Amino acid sequence: MNIGQIAGLIAAIAFAVLVIAIVVVLISINQTIRILKKHIEPIASDADQITATTKSLLNDLTSKVERLDPVVQATADLGSTVSHFTDKINKKKTEVVGKKAKAWKMVNNLTDSALKSGAIFSAGEAVFNRFKKSRAKKKG
């Protein structure tokens, strides 16, 4: 055997070792993939169940929200009505308070007038009584 044949034989052996190493790695990868597949299948099945349950819950929640929408709208309308009613009551209250204050002012003015009239009447009565006494003295 000459040098070229020995070099070819070495290259062939190296190539065979390389192919064997690649085959070993591929077999190891294949086994790893089988193990992963074995572990992933239950997870995928659970994920499908979770997705189905989530879809069911979402549909249930959607139907309940649709039923609640009119209640929420009615509550909002009621709040608006109550607010409007409260505004009107406050306006009327302000008017009544103003009228009450005006009425008290009128009562106070009438009271002051009555007191002044009473004082004038008392003074007039005193003058009249003096006049009667002085006439009685003159006559008597």
Side-chain angles (χ1 to χ4, degrees):
M1 277 195 160
N2 68 14
I3 294 196
Q5 290 176 336
I6 293 176
L9 185 62
I10 292 174
I13 292 172
F15 184 74
V17 169
L18 180 66
V19 168
I20 291 172
I22 290 175
V23 168
V24 169
V25 169
L26 288 177
I27 290 172
S28 175
I29 290 174
N30 190 23
Q31 287 176 346
T32 304
I33 289 174
R34 283 185 190 153
I35 291 170
L36 283 174
K37 186 177 178 184
K38 209 182 278 185
H39 290 289
I40 288 176
E41 283 179 357
I43 293 172
S45 174
D46 289 346
D48 288 343
Q49 289 175 353
I50 290 171
T51 302
T53 303
T54 303
K55 184 177 179 181
S56 172
L57 288 172
L58 185 60
N59 289 338
D60 184 45
L61 184 62
T62 301
S63 70
K64 288 179 180 172
V65 166
E66 287 172 355
R67 283 187 277 163
L68 276 178
D69 277 345
V71 173
V72 171
Q73 184 61 44
T75 304
D77 292 346
L78 179 63
S80 175
T81 302
V82 167
S83 177
H84 182 70
F85 185 65
T86 303
D87 290 343
K88 283 192 170 196
I89 287 175
N90 285 334
K91 184 178 177 184
K92 289 294 180 185
K93 177 185 155 195
T94 303
E95 290 175 12
V96 168
V97 167
K99 288 180 181 179
K100 180 181 175 185
K102 191 174 180 181
W104 273 112
K105 188 174 180 182
M106 288 175 61
V107 166
N108 287 333
N109 288 340
L110 286 173
T111 304
D112 289 344
S113 296
L115 289 174
K116 287 177 185 174
S117 297
I120 293 172
F121 179 73
S122 296
E125 186 179 20
V127 169
F128 182 69
N129 286 337
R130 274 187 170 174
F131 175 72
K132 274 175 52 178
K133 283 183 186 178
S134 72
R135 265 184 114 200
K137 282 184 184 178
K138 286 184 182 179
K139 281 187 180 182

